[in-house]
Amino acid sequence: QKEVEQDPGPLSVPEGAIVSLNCTYSNSAFQYFMWYRQYSRKGPELLMYTYSSGNKEDGRFTAQVDKSSKYISLFIRDSQPSDSATYLCAMSAGDNYGQNFVFGPGTRLSVLP
Amino acid sequence: GAGVSQSPRYKVAKRGQDVALRCDPISGHVSLFWYQQALGQGPEFLTYFQNEAQLDKSGLPSDRFFAERPEGSVSTLKIQRTQQEDSAVYLCASSSGHSGLTQHFGDGTRLSIL
């Protein structure tokens, strides 16, 4: 079993739909939870991160962390064709270095106009 | 440009050849990270530099992989005697501080070993 699991998709939704992307993990030491968006042939870009449990909202994006279930989610409201990309979750036990960063395999999302 | 720049964007090499991949971080960024991203997978950590010091190389998969950042800016990832399993996208990221939370990624070098 991998340390971070993520449904690879692909996931196709119509424009305007609410999208739910999820990751599960096994390492209870993880404290920082990140969501990255990666367009084709581009590097990942950080969308948002949360520390420990709880919710965080940024525009159309909401991140949720449930440490008791070792489950995190990213919700995208009013999805747009420009949201079509691969979404990667990443987790870290600390905020230093990159070694502690463990990425999920990514979920490919297509938002159809 | 203001972002992380990687070159070449694409590299094709025959098995057994040596390759060198370059990363130009954002000017003034202290931290530099290298990742390997296989097709359909998330990035996997290879190594970390703070200025010119390589503080963590625990993710390098074998002694055929070598990275350097001699002057604390540009970094080179070298792979010797390449093998087919080395085919992947190699991503570089830099950060102004010591935290990976604020790292900015380049667009990667896509390496194909024939």
Side-chain angles (χ1 to χ4, degrees), chain A residues 34-37 44-46 86-88 90 101 103, chain B residues 100 103 105:
Chain A
M34 284 71 68
W35 285 98
Y36 287 83
R37 179 174 61 197
E45 55 178 324
L46 180 68
T86 295
Y87 289 80
L88 300 158
F101 274 61
F103 283 82
Chain B
Q103 58 188 314
F105 282 87

Side-chain angles (χ1 to χ4, degrees), chain A residues 21-39:
Chain A
L21 304 166
N22 312 295
C23 287
T24 58
Y25 63 96
S26 57
N27 188 346
S28 59
F30 289 143
Q31 295 282 352
Y32 293 86
F33 303 91
M34 284 71 68
W35 285 98
Y36 287 83
R37 179 174 61 197
Q38 186 173 26
Y39 291 114

Side-chain angles (χ1 to χ4, degrees), chain B residues 10 28 32 37 39 50 53 60 64 69-72 80 85 87 92 94-96 102 105 109:
Chain B
Y10 303 92
L32 187 145
Q37 186 173 22
L39 188 63
Q50 186 180 115
L60 296 176
R64 297 186 296 105
R69 194 186 185 197
E71 297 178 358
Q80 297 176 325
E85 60 262 30
S87 295
C92 175
S94 69
S95 172
S96 58
T102 54
F105 282 87
T109 293

